[in-house]
Amino acid sequence: MGSEKKEYEFLSEIGLSSHNLGNYVGGKWQGNGSLVSTLNPVNNQPIAQVVEASLEDYEIGMKACEEAAKLWMQVPAPKRGDIVRQIGDALRSKLDYLGRLLSLEMGKILAEGIGEVQEVIDMCDFAVGLSRQLNGSVIPSERPNHMMLEMWNPLGIVGVITAFNFPCAVLGWNACIALVCGNCVVWKGAPTTPLITIAMTKLVAEVLEKNNLPGAIFTAMCGGAEIGEAITKDKRIPLVSFTGSSKVGLKLAARSVLFASVGTAGQRCTTCRRLLLHESVYDQVLEQLLTSYKQVKIGDPLEKGTLLGPLHTPESKKNFEKGIEVIKSQGGKVLTGGKAIEGDGNFVEPTIIEISADADVVKEELFAPVLYALKFKSFEEAVAINNSVPQGLSSSIFTRNPGNIFKWIGPLGSDCGIVNVNIPTNGAEIGGAFGGEKATGGGREAGSDSWKQYMRRSTCTINYGNELPLAQGINFG
């Protein structure tokens, strides 16, 4: 496997082998697509083989899912919540194994791998409570003996397409809510992390089978763009989630920036890309960061003490090298890092760049541990710089000035979907709605009232009186 290698022996504990069927369709495991190998980004050696989905597999799965949806949407919401509770318990029982697999296949450090699986478990817990709170409204009617109601009903099927950087957390944000709202789920995992897709699905399938429910309530497929395109164009799927970035105060900021810029090797969608520093503290904070960056341990994400694992693929490593050249050509100065590490793995150095906020490269996502240090003079200038890029997912300010805090979260402040104060840009909690603005896309996942996107709203007017409203001057006999 791979499984001949001792470090991969644990995979059998979560139902994986050297050769795996990658598609759970119609309640059965099958695969008629390409045979692919999933690679360990530490050394780019194969872990195991997976048979991806063909379009025929996809169609079989969708037909079964359509039929299952008719049953699932009629199951009482609290009962659906209990099924999701059991899924959470199943994941909890394999937490360490799943977290280890995620780190092995994706490349993030073990603490992050376990933490990501825990986030799915937390979403299950959240969804269980939500299943008893999918409330509508009673609206006063202007007509006598009438009342108006708002009813929330399932959409039917929700598609979830996840990316390699969070191969299971994003599934949790969407699938847990979609399921308790009465929808079936069709999941296409990232093509480079098929094992975590299979392992997660096996646990979900066991829960459905144990409760005598159709396996097609949860359909999962491994595959590439062909399957993803089929999901996005399928009119049977009304909703698709597609993820395809004082001295004590200064130290708090420096620690937070390190976590936000280096965590997951800079491959989070909420990664801190731009660090805006007031001119009065610019040199001091940069000095602290440069010192801490040089202490970052780079290595195998499964080894204790590692803070920076590899990038996910060899292509990511090449993009890092190309990106550094573009940065230099636009006047960027490398303060630390800036090099790919020689060897079989996809390792690069954590990097800090001094550059103008007007440089075009600053407005693009490199998806690597590269931090741009930018200097500003006033709060208004900082907000303008923050809002000057096409993306609008996550932002954060570090300040002790209450006035600036409320300006930052107000109408003339940050234009992002996530607007933090004195905490990093990453590490969003599940209780809040997760999503961005501008080119990042609208829509929200996870908490708050995000559940409403997974249901359709009906306004119902009911006449409970004995008389029907009559048209003036007309006698109906």
Side-chain angles (χ1 to χ4, degrees):
M1 155 162 35
S3 75
E4 301 106 18
K5 296 187 177 180
K6 189 172 182 180
E7 63 266 35
Y8 298 161
E9 288 179 353
F10 76 94
L11 297 180
S12 62
E13 299 289 339
I14 41 180
L16 299 172
S17 64
S18 59
H19 183 89
N20 304 274
L21 295 175
N23 315 288
Y24 186 65
V25 296
K28 298 178 181 178
W29 287 95
Q30 65 184 62
N32 295 286
S34 301
L35 178 65
V36 299
S37 292
T38 179
L39 305 179
N40 182 346
V42 168
N43 51 28
N44 289 310
Q45 295 300 306
I47 303 171
Q49 291 183 318
V50 172
V51 183
E52 294 183 327
S54 66
L55 287 177
E56 291 75 18
D57 294 323
Y58 173 80
E59 188 57 32
I60 290 170
M62 280 305 303
K63 286 181 178 178
C65 193
E66 274 192 297
E67 289 303 309
K70 298 173 185 176
L71 181 151
W72 183 241
M73 65 175 56
Q74 296 182 71
V75 174
K79 174 61 178 175
R80 298 193 299 252
D82 186 62
I83 299 300
V84 173
R85 178 192 62 78
Q86 293 177 48
I87 292 172
D89 288 344
L91 296 175
R92 191 176 281 110
S93 71
K94 301 290 185 181
L95 173 60
D96 288 343
Y97 291 131
L98 291 169
R100 192 170 185 83
L101 169 61
L102 200 155
S103 296
L104 172 69
E105 192 173 35
M106 186 273 157
K108 61 178 64 177
I109 63 174
L110 184 57
E112 288 188 272
I114 293 175
E116 180 173 342
V117 179
Q118 181 62 51
E119 188 161 335
V120 183
I121 296 169
D122 293 343
M123 274 303 307
C124 289
D125 293 343
F126 178 88
V128 173
L130 178 64
S131 69
R132 295 180 179 271
Q133 300 176 48
L134 302 174
N135 306 321
S137 304
V138 177
I139 304 168
S141 172
E142 63 187 37
R143 290 170 285 192
N145 298 321
H146 285 65
M147 65 185 302
M148 296 175 66
L149 306 175
E150 272 191 351
M151 294 287 294
W152 292 92
N153 292 299
L155 294 173
I157 301 174
V158 170
V160 184
I161 302 174
T162 54
F164 75 89
N165 58 338
F166 282 90
C168 66
V170 176
L171 171 75
W173 299 344
N174 288 277
C176 297
I177 305 299
L179 287 170
V180 298
C181 286
N183 301 297
C184 291
V185 171
V186 176
W187 177 29
K188 190 197 86 69
T192 52
T193 55
L195 296 183
I196 192 66
T197 301
I198 296 170
M200 295 278 291
T201 302
K202 282 182 178 289
L203 292 171
V204 175
E206 288 176 5
V207 170
L208 294 174
E209 183 178 353
K210 184 175 66 176
N211 286 273
N212 297 312
L213 288 167
I217 290 171
F218 190 91
T219 298
M221 285 169 274
C222 298
E226 184 180 51
I227 301 300
E229 186 175 353
I231 291 174
T232 58
K233 291 183 176 180
D234 198 324
K235 293 182 179 179
R236 294 168 293 187
I237 306 177
L239 177 67
V240 177
S241 170
F242 176 49
T243 305
S245 221
S246 97
K247 291 185 179 179
V248 174
L250 291 174
K251 288 181 180 178
L252 172 64
R255 286 198 305 269
S256 298
V257 169
L258 176 67
F259 170 65
S261 58
V262 173
T264 322
Q267 297 170 111
R268 290 177 180 239
C269 48
T270 54
T271 289
C272 180
R273 182 173 82 240
R274 297 175 299 153
L275 172 62
L276 282 61
L277 294 169
H278 190 269
E279 57 185 2
S280 65
V281 297
Y282 183 86
D283 291 334
Q284 190 174 354
V285 174
L286 268 187
E287 182 181 352
Q288 292 180 3
L289 280 173
L290 290 170
T291 299
S292 61
Y293 262 57
K294 291 171 183 175
Q295 298 174 45
V296 171
K297 181 182 176 183
I298 305 170
D300 189 327
L302 293 174
E303 289 183 3
K304 188 177 180 179
T306 297
L307 290 180
L308 179 61
L311 294 176
H312 186 52
T313 64
E315 185 179 3
S316 301
K317 185 177 180 180
K318 291 177 184 176
N319 288 339
F320 169 84
E321 293 178 300
K322 292 176 184 176
I324 295 298
E325 293 305 313
V326 172
I327 289 167
K328 291 178 178 177
S329 72
Q330 295 185 15
K333 178 183 177 183
V334 178
L335 301 182
T336 187
K339 296 178 181 178
I341 298 173
E342 293 185 6
D344 295 330
N346 307 322
F347 296 97
V348 299
E349 296 177 343
T351 302
I352 299 178
I353 303 289
E354 192 172 51
I355 195 169
S356 167
D358 296 325
D360 289 340
V361 71
V362 173
K363 301 178 181 181
E364 301 170 359
E365 291 185 283
L366 186 54
F367 237 50
V370 175
L371 178 68
Y372 301 115
L374 313 172
K375 189 183 295 185
F376 70 90
K377 294 183 178 180
S378 68
F379 173 82
E380 290 73 19
E381 181 189 6
V383 172
I385 294 172
N386 178 80
N387 296 350
S388 67
V389 298
Q391 303 85 11
L393 179 56
S394 186
S395 58
S396 184
I397 187 174
F398 282 80
T399 181
R400 289 188 170 183
N401 184 323
N404 284 343
I405 290 175
F406 288 99
K407 288 178 184 177
W408 174 246
I409 66 176
L412 298 180
S414 171
D415 62 2
C416 294
I418 298 172
V419 183
N420 291 337
V421 177
N422 295 335
I423 63 169
T425 53
N426 55 4
E429 293 188 37
I430 64 164
F434 183 90
E437 302 296 334
K438 302 190 294 186
T440 305
R444 294 296 186 268
E445 300 165 326
S448 186
D449 65 350
S450 300
W451 64 270
K452 293 180 179 179
Q453 295 176 116
Y454 300 85
M455 306 191 83
R456 58 178 178 84
R457 185 195 324 229
S458 300
T459 300
C460 314
T461 303
I462 301 171
N463 176 5
Y464 59 88
N466 294 324
E467 297 181 358
L468 292 173
L470 299 178
Q472 187 174 3
I474 298 178
N475 185 359
F476 291 92

